[in-house]
């Protein structure tokens, strides 16, 4: 079992930046690939970014490439999502997720999920 707790959500204006963090409970954090997903009201859950166990591989969805950066610190059991140049379409509940796979971009491949953190972007 891995417990994940997100933090850092809030209200920002268009063009602003926000940094989300996810703290994992297990000391074997480095055996899990990590990802971020988001879900806006009335929409399906959307993959945002993923990072491999070691952090050597990562990827972003087309909607956020060049604006979002995923990172992890295996010594601290945390992963972060730096979000820049935000726009109202980025507003959603953001979820941190963990998988035993080396790297994954599909939600169904993730075994553990956080409770989510709300991000609101005003225009």
């Amino acid at each position: 079992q891995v417990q994940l707790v997100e933090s850092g959500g809030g209200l920002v204006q268009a063009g602003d930046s926000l940094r989300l963090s996810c703290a994992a409970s297990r000391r074997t954090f480095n055996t899990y690939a990590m990802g971020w997903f988001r879900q806006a009201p009335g929409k399906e859950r959307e993959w945002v970014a993923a990072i491999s166990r070691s952090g050597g591989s990562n990827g972003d969805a087309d909607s956020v490439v060049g604006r979002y950066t995923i990172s992890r610190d295996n010594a601290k059991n945390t992963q972060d999502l730096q979000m820049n140049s935000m726009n109202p379409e980025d507003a959603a509940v953001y979820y941190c997720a963990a998988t035993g796979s080396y790297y994954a971009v599909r939600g169904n491949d993730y075994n553990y999920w956080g409770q989510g953190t709300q991000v609101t972007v005003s225009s």
Side-chain angles (χ1 to χ4, degrees), residues 2-6 22 24 29 32-38 45 47 49-51 70 72 79 94-100 104 106-116:
V2 179
Q3 292 185 331
L4 304 172
V5 179
E6 302 98 336
C22 174
F29 178 69
Y32 295 89
M34 302 297 294
W36 288 96
F37 293 78
R38 68 186 182 185
R45 182 180 61 195
W47 170 69
I51 190 165
I70 188 172
R72 66 186 295 163
Q79 73 152 348
Y94 282 70
Y95 297 91
C96 168
T99 174
R106 299 187 309 167
N108 289 343
D109 291 332
Y110 283 81
N111 310 105
Y112 305 102
W113 295 82
Q115 81 287 351

Side-chain angles (χ1 to χ4, degrees), residues 3 10-11 17 22-23 39 41 55 57 61 63 75 81-82 85 89 93 95 97 100-101 108-110 113 122-123:
Q3 292 185 331
L11 171 64
S17 299
C22 174
Q39 188 167 21
S57 299
S63 57
L81 184 67
Q82 177 66 42
S85 302
E89 288 70 38
V93 177
Y95 297 91
S101 302
N108 289 343
D109 291 332
Y110 283 81
W113 295 82
S122 64
S123 58

